[in-house]
Amino acid sequence: MSAFDQIIDRSGTDSIKWAVKPGELPMWIADMDFKTAPAIIDAMQQKVQFGVFGYEEPPAAYFKAVADWYESQHGARPDPSWMWYCTGVIPAVSSVVRRVSHPGDNVVVQAPVYNMFYHSIENNGRHTLSSDLVYDAAAGTYHIDFADLEQKLAEPLSTLMILCNPHNPIGKAWSKATLTRIAELCLKHHVVLLSDEIHGDLVFGAPAYTPVFALPEALRDNAVICVSPSKTFNVAALHAATVIVPGQALRESVTRAINNDELAEPNLLSLPASIAAYTQGAAWLADLKRVLAANRQQVQASLEKMPAVRPAFENATYLLWLDISALHTDSETFCRFLRAQTGLILSAGSEYRGNGAQFIRMNIACPQAMLTDGLGRLAKGVQLFEQQNQ
Ligand SMILES: Cc1ncc(COP(=O)(O)O)c(C=O)c1O
C-alpha cells in the first residue's frame, strides 16, 4: 500500500477541515489528506530534537533552495536577492494591498476567485473591482475579456491587480502569452501586478505554469510574486511563504510593508521544513502528482454518469470546479442539502463571487477510497436533490 492510500484519522487534531460530525466527509478547504514528504518530517524532527528555539532569520540556503526549485521545476530562476520570507501568502497579499494602494482605491481581480482576496482588499478599506472571467458553458472553460480588463485597469483609482496564477477555484494555469498580456496592461496603466502562485507546482499538462518573475524585465519589475510550499507539500500550518519582487524600487517598498506588519519572522519549523521541501521534495511531488492525476480521471469518469454536474476545471490544482447549473443556481442551498443528506462537505462556489453561485468546488487531494466515497455521496445527493425538486 502506498503512503497516498493510507486513510489518516485527522479528527481531534485541531484540523479546520476535520472539525465535523461523525460520518461527515469534508472535501472543501484546500489541504490534503496525505502525510507530507518524509524528508520534511525528518527535518522538523531534527529541529525539535535540538531543543533550543531562539529567534531566527532565513539563511542564504533558504533563498537558494527556493531559487533552485523554480529553476529545476519550472525552468526560471528567481534571483535570491529578490526574495523576502513571509509568514504566509495571504498575510503578504494584505500587506501589499496596504502598501501599494490607498484606502478607497480599486484593486482589480478576476472573479470567481479565491475568497480571501476580497477580505484582503475590503477589510483594508479598498474597493474590489472585478473583471469577471467569461464562462463558456459548452466547453466548461473560462477566458479573460481583455477589453474589459483594460478598461478596469485604466480607471484612475485602480492601483493594484491581484492575479491568481494558476487560478483557484477554476483550476486554470494561465499561458505565458496570457500572462504577458495581463502584465503589459498593468504596466501600461500604472497598476502593480500581485501574482499569487501558491498552486504553481500542481499543474497537469499544458499549458505549463509560468511564474510571473519569468516574464521580460520591464514586466516582472512591476510585479510582486508570492510562492509557498504550503499547497505543494501539504504544510499549510507551517505558515511559510516567499515574496519575490524583482524590481528594486518596488522591492524596497514591499520589504518595508512586510517588516512594518511584522511578517518576516520565521517560526521554529518553517525554515528547516521549507528547505527540506525544496531540496529533497521533488520525487515525492512527482508521486503526488501521479495520484492527483488518477483522482482527476476518476472524477471525470464519475461525472460521465452524473449529467447534472459538469466538469468546469482545467489543468491545475486539486480543487475541482463543478458546474451545477443544470441542477440549481444557488450552490449554497445545494451544498447545505448535500451535507444534511449525505455528510459530504463541499465549497459553495458563491464564496468566490462572479458566476460562482452555479458551481461547487471539490477538493480531491485524498486517498482513492475516500474519493470514491465522496463521489458516491455526491451522486446520491444529486439524485435526492433531483427527486425533491421534480
Ligand atoms: C490562491 C490561494 N492563495 C493563498 C492561499 C493561502 O495561503 P496562506 O495559507 O499561505 O496564507 C490559498 C489557500 O487555499 C489559495 O488557494
Side-chain angles (χ1 to χ4, degrees), residues 190-206:
H190 311 288
V191 171
V192 170
L193 179 59
L194 171 54
S195 186
D196 175 341
E197 308 199 344
I198 201 168
H199 294 281
D201 295 316
L202 298 171
V203 174
F204 305 86

Side-chain angles (χ1 to χ4, degrees), residues 59 81 140 176 217 228 238 302 318 352 386:
S81 71
K176 190 166 190 177
E217 192 172 335
S228 167
L238 207 55
S302 290
Y318 52 72
Y352 310 98
E386 280 173 330

